[in-house]
Amino acid sequence: MSEFDTKLVHGKIQNDNNTGAVNVPIYNSSTYIFPKVDAKIRWDYARSGNPTRSYLEDQVAELEGGYQGFAFSSGLAAIHSVFSIFSPGDHIIIGDTVYGGTFRLINQIFKKWNLEFTAVNTQDVAIVRNAIKENTKAIYFETFSNPLLRVTSVKETAKIAKENNLLTIVDNTFLTPYLQKPLKLGADIVIHSATKYLGGHSDVIAGVVVAKNKELAEQIYFNQNGIGAVLSPESSNLIRRGVQTLAVRMDRHLSNTTKIVEFLQTREEIKQIYFPGLSGTKDYEIASQEVNGYGGLVSFELQEGLDAIKFVESLKLIQLAVSLGAVESLIELPYKMTHAELSKEQQEEIGITSQLVRLSVGIESPNDLITDIQQGLDLLHYHR
């Protein structure tokens, strides 16, 4: 099973199926029988391990080309367990436009535990180098940042990290292993909010982590088991099922997004488009060397004087909601929704304005999506 698409469908053989069922069973048991008191058994308690969850964990590890995978109850739980491998006094460099929930986790929880963080533009390797201190232990970033889709080179960042004996931790949610495999580019840990493209249907909350080597895997497993924010068997099965169709869904996401970007480029209401697939930008320059596609997200700014709230609320097909990566198209205003945790000053510093719109492009008919956007933009001229 060397082809990626085949791995998506079949996963890793578990040798734990006595019925001949095509899909791995959902094991709901919270505990498992010991044949003897001192028996060495694979399963003892569901928090520590579950066969259904294990199947998913093995599958994502194989897809990412890592040593071991771990499934969590949410993307933030996954990030929490990864940051928990560090000790008080350790310093971590992070991207300056990380997800708002990650920002909250860092500033309101981990800083209380005396972890130090410096937020920088990770796209600029010189700035990253200058941020390294004696107590720096890792560099954490999103391959495509949220919501401006700025692209950070995994290769270059990992090179800097290795030169300074640091870990490279990549949130690869927006790309998935279908479009990029950070571990192959030098990263040490990959994180996904599996709620998004891996699940793909807006019906489950989940997070996954893949570690590159045994040492890191042991630390992450200790945190997974010790903190206990594990993914349920039922949710593990939903993510497993979503992964099977990842390739066909992502191909449609990519195709639709390209068509919508082309449409947006023709509209005078659009001040600026943020999409790594647009040539002539630094984002494109980096992405074209490291990814197999530019993702299913596009952000854009409306011209000053146009009512962004009126626009997103007027759409009929595209739904106003946070999250992304699902079969249905979702739209939101970052300054009011996904990044509301940031102060106005912090938003402005990283380029989030009240005119910025983020669109997660689904797999509907592209013509229907474009018509919906066109009607929403046309409506703005009556509300100036």
Side-chain angles (χ1 to χ4, degrees):
M1 297 198 304
S2 59
E3 293 294 329
F4 186 84
D5 289 6
T6 302
K7 292 179 181 178
L8 288 174
V9 175
H10 292 282
K12 184 176 179 181
I13 302 302
Q14 295 295 301
N15 297 318
D16 187 27
N17 184 348
N18 296 321
T19 67
V22 172
N23 292 314
V24 63
I26 300 174
Y27 290 86
N28 285 317
S29 183
S30 61
T31 191
Y32 300 84
I33 295 171
F34 283 66
K36 295 182 179 180
V37 170
D38 58 354
K40 303 297 182 183
I41 61 174
R42 173 66 179 87
W43 313 107
D44 57 7
Y45 188 65
R47 172 171 44 77
S48 302
N50 170 275
T52 312
R53 190 175 85 228
S54 178
Y55 177 91
L56 173 64
E57 292 172 333
D58 289 346
Q59 186 179 31
V60 294
E62 187 171 12
L63 295 176
E64 287 284 9
Y67 177 81
Q68 190 172 349
F70 305 91
F72 296 87
S73 57
S74 70
L76 276 175
I79 296 169
H80 183 275
S81 287
V82 170
F83 282 160
S84 293
I85 70 176
F86 300 105
S87 301
D90 287 348
H91 174 247
I92 303 170
I93 298 169
I94 64 170
D96 60 1
T97 54
V98 296
Y99 165 55
T102 306
F103 182 88
R104 180 178 60 240
L105 178 68
I106 287 169
N107 286 282
Q108 298 187 30
I109 295 179
F110 279 105
K111 284 188 176 180
K112 292 180 181 178
W113 300 353
N114 293 322
L115 284 184
E116 298 179 27
F117 295 88
T118 299
V120 303
N121 176 7
T122 53
Q123 191 177 71
D124 190 320
V125 292
I127 292 177
V128 174
R129 287 184 186 277
N130 289 335
I132 296 173
K133 305 194 296 187
E134 288 186 4
N135 59 333
T136 304
K137 302 297 181 183
I139 305 171
Y140 168 88
F141 60 94
E142 299 169 359
T143 41
F144 285 13
S145 71
N146 186 8
L148 295 176
L149 304 174
R150 292 173 179 152
V151 182
T152 293
S153 170
V154 178
K155 284 183 180 178
E156 292 301 317
T157 307
K159 180 181 178 182
I160 295 171
K162 284 180 171 54
E163 290 172 353
N164 292 275
N165 196 31
L166 309 178
L167 293 177
T168 302
I169 305 170
V170 178
D171 185 328
N172 199 36
T173 296
F174 285 12
L175 292 177
T176 82
Y178 186 64
L179 300 181
Q180 185 184 66
K181 297 180 179 62
L183 298 182
K184 299 294 187 182
L185 297 173
D188 300 289
I189 297 173
V190 175
I191 300 171
H192 292 273
S193 172
T195 308
K196 314 305 192 293
Y197 290 104
L198 295 183
H201 292 79
S202 296
D203 58 2
V204 61
I205 299 291
V208 296
V209 175
V210 179
K212 189 171 188 175
N213 57 49
K214 181 179 179 180
E215 180 183 359
L216 288 172
E218 289 176 345
Q219 294 178 65
I220 294 169
Y221 175 72
F222 179 86
N223 292 337
Q224 181 193 44
N225 187 43
I227 296 171
V230 296
L231 193 61
S232 73
E234 295 85 356
S235 293
S236 296
N237 184 61
L238 286 175
I239 299 298
R240 175 206 62 77
R241 185 176 66 175
V243 166
Q244 287 184 308
T245 61
L246 178 64
V248 292
R249 287 187 288 106
M250 288 304 298
D251 286 345
R252 186 59 175 264
H253 286 302
L254 297 174
S255 174
N256 280 1
T257 305
T258 298
K259 293 174 182 176
I260 287 175
V261 169
E262 291 173 352
F263 166 74
L264 291 174
Q265 289 178 299
T266 69
R267 298 293 300 207
E268 64 178 9
E269 299 90 348
I270 307 302
K271 178 180 179 181
Q272 185 168 354
I273 300 171
Y274 300 93
F275 180 65
L278 291 174
S279 61
T281 65
K282 187 172 184 179
D283 299 308
Y284 176 81
E285 179 183 336
I286 297 171
S288 62
Q289 300 298 313
E290 299 187 11
V291 305
N292 298 317
Y294 302 103
L297 282 159
V298 57
S299 293
F300 53 92
E301 282 190 56
L302 296 175
Q303 296 285 1
E304 295 298 328
L306 297 181
D307 191 334
I309 293 177
K310 174 65 68 175
F311 169 68
V312 298
E313 290 181 348
S314 71
L315 302 180
K316 307 300 183 185
L317 175 62
I318 301 171
Q319 297 171 316
L320 179 62
V322 297
S323 198
L324 54 99
V327 292
E328 67 275 354
S329 295
L330 303 173
I331 201 163
E332 61 105 8
L333 298 180
Y335 89 105
K336 281 283 191 180
M337 299 170 73
T338 54
H339 290 70
E341 291 90 353
L342 278 66
S343 67
K344 184 177 180 180
E345 292 74 20
Q346 290 170 324
Q347 290 178 349
E348 291 175 350
E349 186 176 350
I350 61 176
I352 297 176
T353 71
S354 60
Q355 297 300 96
L356 182 68
V357 178
R358 191 192 74 183
L359 171 62
S360 173
V361 181
I363 64 172
E364 305 96 337
S365 161
N367 292 333
D368 288 340
L369 293 173
I370 289 172
T371 297
D372 197 32
I373 296 170
Q374 179 177 333
Q375 291 174 347
L377 292 175
D378 290 343
L379 185 66
L380 294 179
H381 297 289
Y382 298 100
H383 293 275
R384 287 193 170 186

